[in-house]
Structure formats: C-alpha cells, structure tokens
C-alpha cells in the first residue's frame, strides 16, 4: 500500500502557519512579503504599512524559527513549500515583495504561479539572480543583530540564517517572469552585473531604481523613504485601479 500522500497532506497543513496575516484591508492589490535569509518579517514593517494602503498584506516567514522546526536549505525546497500557500489563495496575490534572498524566492514563486494563472508583479529589494560570495557579509551583520537575543532564540535564528546563506550561494535563477518587476538596487561593485542578470531573465517589463545605501541599510529610517518612494511610483503605474486607491 502506497502511503505517500499522507505525509504530504500533513506537511501542507503544517505549512499554513508560515503564512502570516499582516493587514486585512479592502483594495485591488493583495500583496505578500517573502522572508530574507534569517527567516523573519520584522524588517518589512514600513513596507507592509505602505502596501496596506492598496489592499491586504501577508508575509511568509521561514521554517526553523520556533522550537521543533527545521530550516530549509535550498531555494527550490522553499519555493515548493510556499507555492501551495499562494496558489490556493482566492484571490491569488498580485504582488510579491522580497529583500535579498526573499526577492529570489518571490521571483521563483511568481514564475511558477504564471504557469496556470496570472503572474504577480515582483519587487526585488537588492536581490541577486546569482550569488558569487558565500554570504556577502551577512554572517557578520547577523551576529550584530543577534546581540539582543540569547539562548535558543539566537541559536535557531543563526541556524536558519546559515541554512539560507548556503541555499542562496548554491542557487542560480533560471526561470523567466512575464509580469512587471521593480529592482531596487543598492550601490556597490556588482550593481551593473545585478541589473544585467535580472534583465536576461525578465520576459516582462523590468524597472531598475537605485537606492543610495548599502544592502543592510535599506530599511533604516534615513533610507526607507527612498525605498517607499520608488515603491509608490511602481504601484501607481502597475494598474489604474492601484493608482486610484492611493490616498
């Protein structure tokens, strides 16, 4: 007797806990924020508030942050787990947003959703289609941010982040995406290469805007207004209905 479906069903039920409601609002744009390396969603507070002007907002956090959870260690594994959470939603999300690794996962999810339905637009916040370094400084940045945590909390965050760093280092984005995309690119030596890589994979319109800061500064108070201004402009041109919903 083949009992393969049963574990799949158990996993799909448990994976529902990874989809986190952030704002339930009427509006034309249902948005989903995808976690970066480390798995949390806290850094998206300002972005989520801005998206909530246009409709409901959810987030997908990573497995591995709570007791008894195990972090995923490949982009394909994360994409496979998160896809049913979005494909079963009615309506499906119209916008996926992700910073760093989160943008890569958002792109892969959008490409998969386009196979049997409308492709959501994507916002890539300083994401890279191909990672050349192991973590581009994320390990050191992670250690600085873990100072406020202790014990098992810090250990789980660190283990999850390291699993995600290895996943990002191994992954090469191959999928193409047909819907509008906004790439917010930070200053740095890989800026031109970053844009070229995404353009080679975009079968729909790709807008590139610069952020005058480093990768780990994009959500800091002095820098966030630049990010939000580019996001507002992208949303205003996405569809007339989104434009009309802006206060």
């Amino acid at each position: 007797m083949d009992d393969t479906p049963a574990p799949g069903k158990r996993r799909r039920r448990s994976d529902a806990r990874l989809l986190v409601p952030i704002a339930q609002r009427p509006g034309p744009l249902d948005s989903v924020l995808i976690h970066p390396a480390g798995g949390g969603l806290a850094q998206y507070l300002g972005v989520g508030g801005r998206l909530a002007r246009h409709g409901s907002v959810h987030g997908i956090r990573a497995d591995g942050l709570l007791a008894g959870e195990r972090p995923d260690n490949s982009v394909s594994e994360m994409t496979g787990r998160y896809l049913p959470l979005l494909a079963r939603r009615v309506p499906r999300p119209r916008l996926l947003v992700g910073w760093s690794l989160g943008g890569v996962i958002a792109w892969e999810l959008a490409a998969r959703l386009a196979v049997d339905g409308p492709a959501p637009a994507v916002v890539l916040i300083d994401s890279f289609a191909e990672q050349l370094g192991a973590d581009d400084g994320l390990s050191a940045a992670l250690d600085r941010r873990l100072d406020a945590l202790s014990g098992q909390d810090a250990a789980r965050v660190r283990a999850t982040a390291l699993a995600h760093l290895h996943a990002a280092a191994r992954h090469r984005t191959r999928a193409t995406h047909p819907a509008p995309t906004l790439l917010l690119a930070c200053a740095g030596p890989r800026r031109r290469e970053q844009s070229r890589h995404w353009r080679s994979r975009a079968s729909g319109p790709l807008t590139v805007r610069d952020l005058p800061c480093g990768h780990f500064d994009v959500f800091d108070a002095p820098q966030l207004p630049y990010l939000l201004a580019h996001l507002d402009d992208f949303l205003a041109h996405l569809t007339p209905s989104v434009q009309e919903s802006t206060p």
Side-chain angles (χ1 to χ4, degrees):
M1 177 178 178
D2 183 5
D3 60 355
T4 301
K9 290 181 180 178
R10 288 197 298 271
R11 183 167 198 176
R12 283 195 293 271
R13 285 197 297 270
S14 65
D15 286 349
R17 75 194 186 284
L18 304 179
L19 185 66
V20 180
I22 295 174
Q24 300 285 352
R25 303 282 177 81
L29 191 71
D30 190 276
S31 304
V32 178
L33 299 158
I34 311 297
H35 70 81
L41 299 168
Q43 65 273 8
Y44 290 132
L45 180 62
V47 174
R50 188 59 58 96
L51 292 173
R53 297 180 179 185
H54 305 287
S56 293
V57 183
H58 288 75
I60 294 181
R61 72 164 180 89
D63 215 354
L65 298 179
L66 300 180
E69 295 183 346
R70 178 187 61 84
D72 298 311
N73 60 8
S74 75
V75 171
S76 62
E77 186 176 6
M78 287 181 268
T79 301
R81 294 188 66 180
Y82 305 159
L83 183 65
L85 302 179
L86 304 183
R88 293 197 302 263
R89 287 189 55 77
V90 180
R92 284 189 176 187
R94 294 183 59 197
L95 178 68
L96 304 182
V97 179
W99 171 48
S100 196
L101 174 64
V104 175
I105 299 171
W107 179 279
E108 298 285 359
L109 287 168
R112 296 276 294 275
L113 288 169
V115 171
D116 60 358
V122 173
V123 175
L124 306 166
I125 304 176
D126 207 39
S127 299
F128 290 84
E130 298 184 16
Q131 289 283 1
L132 298 182
D135 63 13
D136 288 334
L138 183 56
S139 293
L142 174 66
D143 286 337
R144 292 193 297 270
R145 286 160 171 76
L146 286 176
D147 287 345
L149 299 177
S150 62
Q152 291 301 312
D153 288 339
R156 282 193 292 267
V157 172
R158 181 176 283 106
T160 300
L162 289 176
H164 292 170
L165 293 181
H166 292 308
R170 292 193 305 270
H171 185 72
R172 299 292 182 270
T173 303
R174 306 298 184 201
T176 59
H177 175 244
T181 298
L182 171 65
L183 170 62
L184 298 173
C186 293
R190 295 186 59 197
R191 163 69 179 74
R192 183 174 297 180
E193 177 188 39
Q194 177 187 32
S195 177
R196 177 172 57 82
H197 282 167
W198 286 118
R199 288 192 186 283
S200 71
R201 293 157 174 81
S203 57
L206 174 68
T207 302
V208 182
R209 295 290 182 264
D210 293 334
L211 295 176
C213 60
H215 182 77
F216 301 104
D217 306 320
V218 293
F219 301 108
D220 291 350
Q223 309 301 336
L224 186 60
Y226 296 102
L227 189 159
L228 295 179
H230 290 315
L231 179 62
D232 285 342
D233 186 63
F234 180 69
L235 296 180
H237 292 86
L238 196 55
T239 64
S241 59
V242 171
Q243 185 174 9
E244 291 167 4
S245 72
T246 304

